[in-house]
Short mmCIF file of all heavy atoms in Angstrom, two decimals:
data_model
loop_
_atom_site.label_atom_id
_atom_site.label_comp_id
_atom_site.label_asym_id
_atom_site.label_seq_id
_atom_site.Cartn_x
_atom_site.Cartn_y
_atom_site.Cartn_z
N MET A 1 53.45 23.74 -61.66
CA MET A 1 53.84 23.37 -60.30
C MET A 1 54.59 22.04 -60.33
O MET A 1 54.18 21.13 -61.03
CB MET A 1 52.58 23.25 -59.44
CG MET A 1 52.82 23.66 -58.00
SD MET A 1 51.31 23.52 -57.06
CE MET A 1 50.40 24.93 -57.68
N PRO A 2 55.67 21.97 -59.62
CA PRO A 2 56.46 20.73 -59.68
C PRO A 2 55.81 19.60 -58.92
O PRO A 2 55.18 19.79 -57.89
CB PRO A 2 57.79 21.13 -59.03
CG PRO A 2 57.44 22.24 -58.12
CD PRO A 2 56.30 22.96 -58.76
N GLN A 3 56.00 18.44 -59.45
CA GLN A 3 55.52 17.24 -58.77
C GLN A 3 56.73 16.50 -58.23
O GLN A 3 57.67 16.22 -58.95
CB GLN A 3 54.76 16.36 -59.76
CG GLN A 3 54.25 15.08 -59.14
CD GLN A 3 53.44 14.26 -60.13
OE1 GLN A 3 53.01 14.76 -61.15
NE2 GLN A 3 53.25 13.00 -59.83
N TYR A 4 56.69 16.20 -56.95
CA TYR A 4 57.83 15.56 -56.31
C TYR A 4 57.55 14.08 -56.08
O TYR A 4 56.44 13.70 -55.76
CB TYR A 4 58.13 16.22 -54.97
CG TYR A 4 58.53 17.66 -55.09
CD1 TYR A 4 57.60 18.67 -54.91
CD2 TYR A 4 59.84 17.99 -55.39
CE1 TYR A 4 57.98 19.99 -55.03
CE2 TYR A 4 60.22 19.32 -55.50
CZ TYR A 4 59.28 20.32 -55.33
OH TYR A 4 59.64 21.62 -55.44
N ASN A 5 58.59 13.33 -56.23
CA ASN A 5 58.50 11.92 -55.87
C ASN A 5 59.08 11.73 -54.48
O ASN A 5 60.12 12.30 -54.15
CB ASN A 5 59.30 11.07 -56.85
CG ASN A 5 58.56 10.88 -58.15
OD1 ASN A 5 57.41 11.26 -58.29
ND2 ASN A 5 59.22 10.29 -59.12
N PHE A 6 58.43 10.92 -53.70
CA PHE A 6 58.90 10.62 -52.36
C PHE A 6 59.00 9.13 -52.17
O PHE A 6 58.30 8.36 -52.82
CB PHE A 6 57.95 11.19 -51.30
CG PHE A 6 57.84 12.68 -51.36
CD1 PHE A 6 56.82 13.27 -52.06
CD2 PHE A 6 58.77 13.47 -50.72
CE1 PHE A 6 56.72 14.66 -52.13
CE2 PHE A 6 58.67 14.84 -50.77
CZ PHE A 6 57.65 15.44 -51.48
N LEU A 7 59.85 8.76 -51.26
CA LEU A 7 59.96 7.35 -50.91
C LEU A 7 59.76 7.23 -49.41
O LEU A 7 60.48 7.83 -48.62
CB LEU A 7 61.34 6.82 -51.31
CG LEU A 7 61.60 5.37 -50.93
CD1 LEU A 7 60.71 4.43 -51.74
CD2 LEU A 7 63.06 5.02 -51.16
N CYS A 8 58.78 6.45 -49.03
CA CYS A 8 58.52 6.23 -47.61
C CYS A 8 59.55 5.24 -47.08
O CYS A 8 59.71 4.16 -47.61
CB CYS A 8 57.11 5.69 -47.43
SG CYS A 8 56.78 5.23 -45.73
N ARG A 9 60.25 5.65 -46.05
CA ARG A 9 61.25 4.76 -45.49
C ARG A 9 60.62 3.68 -44.62
O ARG A 9 61.25 2.68 -44.30
CB ARG A 9 62.26 5.56 -44.66
CG ARG A 9 63.08 6.51 -45.51
CD ARG A 9 64.22 7.08 -44.69
NE ARG A 9 64.89 8.16 -45.41
CZ ARG A 9 64.84 9.44 -45.03
NH1 ARG A 9 64.17 9.79 -43.96
NH2 ARG A 9 65.46 10.36 -45.72
N ALA A 10 59.43 3.90 -44.18
CA ALA A 10 58.77 2.94 -43.30
C ALA A 10 58.24 1.74 -44.10
O ALA A 10 58.48 0.60 -43.73
CB ALA A 10 57.65 3.61 -42.54
N CYS A 11 57.54 2.00 -45.19
CA CYS A 11 56.97 0.90 -45.96
C CYS A 11 57.64 0.76 -47.32
O CYS A 11 57.30 -0.15 -48.08
CB CYS A 11 55.46 1.07 -46.11
SG CYS A 11 54.97 2.47 -47.14
N GLU A 12 58.58 1.64 -47.62
CA GLU A 12 59.37 1.56 -48.84
C GLU A 12 58.52 1.64 -50.10
O GLU A 12 58.82 1.02 -51.11
CB GLU A 12 60.25 0.32 -48.84
CG GLU A 12 61.24 0.34 -47.68
CD GLU A 12 62.26 -0.79 -47.80
OE1 GLU A 12 61.94 -1.80 -48.43
OE2 GLU A 12 63.37 -0.63 -47.27
N LYS A 13 57.45 2.40 -50.01
CA LYS A 13 56.64 2.63 -51.20
C LYS A 13 56.88 4.04 -51.70
O LYS A 13 57.09 4.96 -50.92
CB LYS A 13 55.16 2.43 -50.87
CG LYS A 13 54.82 0.98 -50.74
CD LYS A 13 53.35 0.80 -50.44
CE LYS A 13 53.05 -0.68 -50.26
NZ LYS A 13 51.74 -0.91 -49.68
N GLU A 14 56.82 4.17 -52.98
CA GLU A 14 56.98 5.49 -53.58
C GLU A 14 55.63 6.13 -53.81
O GLU A 14 54.64 5.46 -54.08
CB GLU A 14 57.70 5.36 -54.92
CG GLU A 14 59.16 5.01 -54.79
CD GLU A 14 59.84 5.06 -56.16
OE1 GLU A 14 59.52 5.94 -56.96
OE2 GLU A 14 60.67 4.19 -56.41
N PHE A 15 55.60 7.43 -53.68
CA PHE A 15 54.41 8.17 -54.05
C PHE A 15 54.83 9.53 -54.53
O PHE A 15 55.94 9.99 -54.28
CB PHE A 15 53.42 8.25 -52.88
CG PHE A 15 53.99 8.93 -51.65
CD1 PHE A 15 53.75 10.28 -51.43
CD2 PHE A 15 54.75 8.22 -50.75
CE1 PHE A 15 54.27 10.91 -50.30
CE2 PHE A 15 55.26 8.84 -49.62
CZ PHE A 15 55.02 10.18 -49.40
N SER A 16 53.96 10.15 -55.25
CA SER A 16 54.27 11.47 -55.77
C SER A 16 53.24 12.45 -55.27
O SER A 16 52.09 12.10 -54.97
CB SER A 16 54.31 11.46 -57.29
OG SER A 16 53.09 11.04 -57.82
N LYS A 17 53.67 13.68 -55.15
CA LYS A 17 52.81 14.70 -54.58
C LYS A 17 53.16 16.03 -55.22
O LYS A 17 54.33 16.32 -55.43
CB LYS A 17 53.04 14.74 -53.07
CG LYS A 17 51.96 15.40 -52.27
CD LYS A 17 52.24 15.13 -50.79
CE LYS A 17 51.32 15.90 -49.87
NZ LYS A 17 49.90 15.60 -50.09
N ILE A 18 52.15 16.79 -55.50
CA ILE A 18 52.39 18.14 -55.98
C ILE A 18 52.23 19.08 -54.81
O ILE A 18 51.20 19.09 -54.15
CB ILE A 18 51.39 18.51 -57.10
CG1 ILE A 18 51.62 17.59 -58.30
CG2 ILE A 18 51.55 19.96 -57.49
CD1 ILE A 18 50.56 17.74 -59.36
N LEU A 19 53.27 19.81 -54.50
CA LEU A 19 53.17 20.70 -53.36
C LEU A 19 54.07 21.91 -53.54
O LEU A 19 55.01 21.89 -54.31
CB LEU A 19 53.49 19.97 -52.05
CG LEU A 19 54.94 19.66 -51.72
CD1 LEU A 19 55.00 19.09 -50.31
CD2 LEU A 19 55.53 18.66 -52.66
N THR A 20 53.74 22.93 -52.83
CA THR A 20 54.53 24.14 -52.90
C THR A 20 55.73 24.01 -51.97
O THR A 20 55.77 23.16 -51.08
CB THR A 20 53.69 25.35 -52.47
OG1 THR A 20 53.31 25.17 -51.11
CG2 THR A 20 52.45 25.48 -53.32
N ILE A 21 56.69 24.89 -52.16
CA ILE A 21 57.88 24.86 -51.32
C ILE A 21 57.52 25.11 -49.86
O ILE A 21 58.04 24.48 -48.95
CB ILE A 21 58.89 25.92 -51.80
CG1 ILE A 21 59.37 25.55 -53.21
CG2 ILE A 21 60.07 26.02 -50.84
CD1 ILE A 21 60.15 24.27 -53.31
N SER A 22 56.60 26.02 -49.62
CA SER A 22 56.24 26.33 -48.24
C SER A 22 55.58 25.13 -47.56
O SER A 22 55.84 24.84 -46.40
CB SER A 22 55.31 27.55 -48.19
OG SER A 22 54.13 27.31 -48.91
N GLU A 23 54.75 24.43 -48.29
CA GLU A 23 54.16 23.20 -47.75
C GLU A 23 55.24 22.19 -47.42
O GLU A 23 55.21 21.51 -46.40
CB GLU A 23 53.22 22.56 -48.79
CG GLU A 23 51.80 22.99 -48.70
CD GLU A 23 50.97 22.25 -49.74
OE1 GLU A 23 51.27 22.33 -50.93
OE2 GLU A 23 50.03 21.57 -49.34
N HIS A 24 56.18 22.15 -48.32
CA HIS A 24 57.24 21.17 -48.18
C HIS A 24 58.09 21.45 -46.94
O HIS A 24 58.46 20.56 -46.20
CB HIS A 24 58.11 21.23 -49.44
CG HIS A 24 59.09 20.11 -49.53
ND1 HIS A 24 60.40 20.25 -49.15
CD2 HIS A 24 58.95 18.84 -49.93
CE1 HIS A 24 61.00 19.09 -49.34
NE2 HIS A 24 60.16 18.23 -49.82
N GLU A 25 58.38 22.73 -46.72
CA GLU A 25 59.24 23.09 -45.61
C GLU A 25 58.54 22.97 -44.26
O GLU A 25 59.18 22.89 -43.23
CB GLU A 25 59.78 24.51 -45.81
CG GLU A 25 60.80 24.51 -46.95
CD GLU A 25 61.41 25.88 -47.19
OE1 GLU A 25 60.83 26.86 -46.69
OE2 GLU A 25 62.43 25.95 -47.85
N LYS A 26 57.24 22.94 -44.28
CA LYS A 26 56.50 22.70 -43.05
C LYS A 26 56.60 21.24 -42.62
O LYS A 26 56.27 20.88 -41.51
CB LYS A 26 55.03 23.06 -43.24
CG LYS A 26 54.75 24.54 -43.07
CD LYS A 26 53.25 24.79 -43.16
CE LYS A 26 52.96 26.01 -44.01
NZ LYS A 26 51.55 26.06 -44.40
N GLY A 27 57.02 20.41 -43.53
CA GLY A 27 57.17 18.99 -43.21
C GLY A 27 55.85 18.27 -43.09
O GLY A 27 55.72 17.33 -42.33
N GLY A 28 54.88 18.72 -43.83
CA GLY A 28 53.56 18.10 -43.74
C GLY A 28 53.36 16.95 -44.70
O GLY A 28 52.28 16.75 -45.20
N ILE A 29 54.41 16.21 -44.92
CA ILE A 29 54.30 15.11 -45.87
C ILE A 29 54.12 13.80 -45.11
O ILE A 29 54.91 13.45 -44.26
CB ILE A 29 55.56 15.03 -46.75
CG1 ILE A 29 55.74 16.35 -47.48
CG2 ILE A 29 55.45 13.87 -47.73
CD1 ILE A 29 57.14 16.54 -48.00
N ILE A 30 53.06 13.13 -45.43
CA ILE A 30 52.76 11.86 -44.77
C ILE A 30 52.55 10.80 -45.83
O ILE A 30 51.91 11.05 -46.85
CB ILE A 30 51.48 12.01 -43.89
CG1 ILE A 30 51.72 13.05 -42.80
CG2 ILE A 30 51.08 10.68 -43.28
CD1 ILE A 30 50.47 13.39 -42.02
N CYS A 31 53.08 9.66 -45.57
CA CYS A 31 52.93 8.55 -46.51
C CYS A 31 51.45 8.18 -46.63
O CYS A 31 50.77 7.97 -45.62
CB CYS A 31 53.72 7.34 -46.01
SG CYS A 31 53.44 5.86 -47.00
N PRO A 32 50.93 8.13 -47.87
CA PRO A 32 49.51 7.78 -48.04
C PRO A 32 49.23 6.31 -47.78
O PRO A 32 48.09 5.91 -47.66
CB PRO A 32 49.24 8.14 -49.51
CG PRO A 32 50.58 8.04 -50.17
CD PRO A 32 51.60 8.43 -49.13
N HIS A 33 50.28 5.54 -47.69
CA HIS A 33 50.10 4.09 -47.51
C HIS A 33 50.05 3.71 -46.03
O HIS A 33 49.22 2.94 -45.60
CB HIS A 33 51.23 3.33 -48.20
CG HIS A 33 51.31 3.64 -49.67
ND1 HIS A 33 50.40 3.18 -50.57
CD2 HIS A 33 52.21 4.38 -50.37
CE1 HIS A 33 50.73 3.62 -51.79
NE2 HIS A 33 51.82 4.35 -51.69
N CYS A 34 51.01 4.25 -45.26
CA CYS A 34 51.12 3.80 -43.87
C CYS A 34 51.08 4.98 -42.88
O CYS A 34 51.23 4.77 -41.70
CB CYS A 34 52.39 2.98 -43.68
SG CYS A 34 53.89 3.97 -43.79
N LYS A 35 50.88 6.19 -43.41
CA LYS A 35 50.77 7.40 -42.59
C LYS A 35 52.06 7.75 -41.85
O LYS A 35 52.06 8.51 -40.90
CB LYS A 35 49.63 7.28 -41.55
CG LYS A 35 48.31 6.85 -42.15
CD LYS A 35 47.70 7.99 -42.97
CE LYS A 35 46.26 7.70 -43.30
NZ LYS A 35 46.05 7.08 -44.58
N SER A 36 53.16 7.20 -42.29
CA SER A 36 54.43 7.51 -41.66
C SER A 36 54.92 8.89 -42.12
O SER A 36 54.62 9.33 -43.23
CB SER A 36 55.47 6.45 -42.03
OG SER A 36 56.74 6.86 -41.58
N LYS A 37 55.65 9.53 -41.26
CA LYS A 37 56.26 10.80 -41.64
C LYS A 37 57.74 10.63 -41.99
O LYS A 37 58.44 11.60 -42.21
CB LYS A 37 56.12 11.82 -40.51
CG LYS A 37 54.69 12.31 -40.36
CD LYS A 37 54.63 13.40 -39.32
CE LYS A 37 53.19 13.90 -39.21
NZ LYS A 37 53.07 14.91 -38.15
N ASP A 38 58.18 9.42 -41.98
CA ASP A 38 59.58 9.15 -42.30
C ASP A 38 59.73 9.02 -43.82
O ASP A 38 59.79 7.95 -44.38
CB ASP A 38 60.01 7.87 -41.59
CG ASP A 38 61.53 7.68 -41.68
OD1 ASP A 38 62.22 8.60 -42.16
OD2 ASP A 38 62.01 6.63 -41.29
N ILE A 39 59.74 10.18 -44.43
CA ILE A 39 59.69 10.24 -45.88
C ILE A 39 61.02 10.73 -46.43
O ILE A 39 61.57 11.71 -45.97
CB ILE A 39 58.57 11.21 -46.33
CG1 ILE A 39 57.22 10.82 -45.72
CG2 ILE A 39 58.49 11.26 -47.85
CD1 ILE A 39 56.76 9.43 -46.05
N GLY A 40 61.50 10.01 -47.40
CA GLY A 40 62.69 10.47 -48.09
C GLY A 40 62.29 11.22 -49.36
O GLY A 40 61.28 10.92 -49.97
N ARG A 41 63.09 12.17 -49.69
CA ARG A 41 62.79 12.95 -50.88
C ARG A 41 63.50 12.35 -52.08
O ARG A 41 64.64 11.96 -52.01
CB ARG A 41 63.27 14.39 -50.72
CG ARG A 41 62.53 15.11 -49.65
CD ARG A 41 63.21 16.43 -49.39
NE ARG A 41 62.82 16.92 -48.08
CZ ARG A 41 63.54 17.76 -47.36
NH1 ARG A 41 64.70 18.18 -47.82
NH2 ARG A 41 63.13 18.17 -46.20
N ARG A 42 62.80 12.33 -53.15
CA ARG A 42 63.43 11.95 -54.40
C ARG A 42 63.28 13.14 -55.33
O ARG A 42 62.20 13.49 -55.75
CB ARG A 42 62.75 10.73 -55.01
CG ARG A 42 62.51 9.66 -53.98
CD ARG A 42 62.31 8.32 -54.63
NE ARG A 42 63.59 7.78 -55.04
CZ ARG A 42 63.71 6.84 -55.99
NH1 ARG A 42 62.67 6.39 -56.60
NH2 ARG A 42 64.89 6.39 -56.30
N TRP A 43 64.39 13.75 -55.58
CA TRP A 43 64.33 15.04 -56.26
C TRP A 43 64.32 14.93 -57.77
O TRP A 43 64.66 15.88 -58.46
CB TRP A 43 65.48 15.93 -55.80
CG TRP A 43 65.22 16.42 -54.41
CD1 TRP A 43 65.89 16.05 -53.28
CD2 TRP A 43 64.25 17.37 -53.97
NE1 TRP A 43 65.38 16.69 -52.20
CE2 TRP A 43 64.37 17.51 -52.58
CE3 TRP A 43 63.25 18.09 -54.64
CZ2 TRP A 43 63.56 18.36 -51.85
CZ3 TRP A 43 62.44 18.94 -53.91
CH2 TRP A 43 62.60 19.06 -52.54
N ALA A 44 63.97 13.79 -58.27
CA ALA A 44 63.77 13.70 -59.72
C ALA A 44 62.40 14.25 -60.07
O ALA A 44 61.50 13.56 -60.50
CB ALA A 44 63.90 12.25 -60.16
N ALA A 45 62.25 15.52 -59.81
CA ALA A 45 60.95 16.14 -59.98
C ALA A 45 60.62 16.31 -61.46
O ALA A 45 61.50 16.39 -62.31
CB ALA A 45 60.93 17.49 -59.29
N PHE A 46 59.35 16.35 -61.71
CA PHE A 46 58.90 16.47 -63.09
C PHE A 46 58.85 17.93 -63.52
O PHE A 46 57.81 18.46 -63.84
CB PHE A 46 57.52 15.83 -63.25
CG PHE A 46 57.53 14.34 -63.05
CD1 PHE A 46 57.15 13.80 -61.85
CD2 PHE A 46 57.93 13.51 -64.08
CE1 PHE A 46 57.15 12.44 -61.66
CE2 PHE A 46 57.94 12.15 -63.90
CZ PHE A 46 57.55 11.60 -62.69
N TYR A 47 59.99 18.54 -63.49
CA TYR A 47 60.02 19.90 -63.98
C TYR A 47 59.87 19.90 -65.50
O TYR A 47 60.41 19.05 -66.19
CB TYR A 47 61.34 20.57 -63.63
CG TYR A 47 61.46 20.93 -62.17
CD1 TYR A 47 62.30 20.22 -61.34
CD2 TYR A 47 60.73 22.00 -61.66
CE1 TYR A 47 62.41 20.54 -60.00
CE2 TYR A 47 60.83 22.32 -60.33
CZ TYR A 47 61.67 21.60 -59.50
OH TYR A 47 61.77 21.94 -58.19
N ALA A 48 59.15 20.86 -65.95
CA ALA A 48 59.00 20.99 -67.40
C ALA A 48 60.18 21.77 -67.94
O ALA A 48 60.15 22.98 -68.06
CB ALA A 48 57.69 21.68 -67.72
N VAL A 49 61.21 21.05 -68.22
CA VAL A 49 62.43 21.70 -68.72
C VAL A 49 62.39 21.70 -70.24
O VAL A 49 62.30 20.67 -70.88
CB VAL A 49 63.68 20.96 -68.23
CG1 VAL A 49 64.94 21.62 -68.80
CG2 VAL A 49 63.73 20.94 -66.72
N THR A 50 62.45 22.88 -70.76
CA THR A 50 62.51 22.98 -72.22
C THR A 50 63.79 23.73 -72.60
O THR A 50 63.93 24.91 -72.36
CB THR A 50 61.28 23.73 -72.77
OG1 THR A 50 61.14 24.95 -72.07
CG2 THR A 50 60.03 22.91 -72.62
N SER A 51 64.67 23.00 -73.12
CA SER A 51 65.93 23.60 -73.54
C SER A 51 65.87 24.00 -75.00
O SER A 51 65.51 23.22 -75.86
CB SER A 51 67.07 22.59 -73.33
OG SER A 51 68.28 23.15 -73.82
N LYS A 52 66.18 25.23 -75.22
CA LYS A 52 66.15 25.69 -76.60
C LYS A 52 67.54 25.68 -77.24
O LYS A 52 67.72 26.08 -78.36
CB LYS A 52 65.55 27.11 -76.66
CG LYS A 52 64.06 27.07 -76.38
CD LYS A 52 63.43 28.44 -76.49
CE LYS A 52 61.94 28.35 -76.19
NZ LYS A 52 61.30 29.65 -76.12
N LYS A 53 68.49 25.25 -76.43
CA LYS A 53 69.83 25.12 -77.01
C LYS A 53 69.91 23.82 -77.80
O LYS A 53 69.49 22.78 -77.31
CB LYS A 53 70.88 25.11 -75.91
CG LYS A 53 70.96 26.42 -75.18
CD LYS A 53 71.88 26.29 -73.97
CE LYS A 53 71.80 27.55 -73.11
NZ LYS A 53 72.50 27.37 -71.84
N SER A 54 70.44 23.90 -78.94
CA SER A 54 70.54 22.69 -79.74
C SER A 54 71.87 22.63 -80.48
O SER A 54 72.53 23.62 -80.62
CB SER A 54 69.38 22.60 -80.74
OG SER A 54 69.43 23.71 -81.58
ZN1 ZN B 101 54.68 4.32 -45.91
#
């Protein structure tokens, strides 16, 4: 499952959360620091990319 990084625009703190796409599209993301919903997405997700091309 991918882990997403988010940046709270209200308090400018970063946090990461593991969530499904459906959870994400519901917009149920709240900053754990200040409870703001003004969250920016940081799509540098921790996908487990394994490239076999060399
Ligand atoms: Zn915040």
Side-chain angles (χ1 to χ4, degrees):
M1 213 179 286
Q3 179 177 343
Y4 297 97
N5 283 353
F6 298 95
L7 178 68
C8 174
R9 294 191 189 111
C11 67
E12 299 189 334
K13 285 181 182 167
E14 288 186 38
F15 59 96
S16 59
K17 199 170 172 59
I18 296 171
L19 76 173
T20 63
I21 295 296
S22 60
E23 269 182 303
H24 190 262
E25 289 181 344
K26 277 185 223 165
I29 301 162
I30 298 172
C31 174
H33 302 288
C34 70
K35 309 287 193 266
S36 172
K37 288 185 179 177
D38 190 7
I39 305 302
R41 295 170 200 155
R42 314 200 78 201
W43 286 110
F46 293 100
Y47 287 107
V49 178
T50 51
S51 177
K52 289 183 181 173
K53 294 172 188 171
S54 60

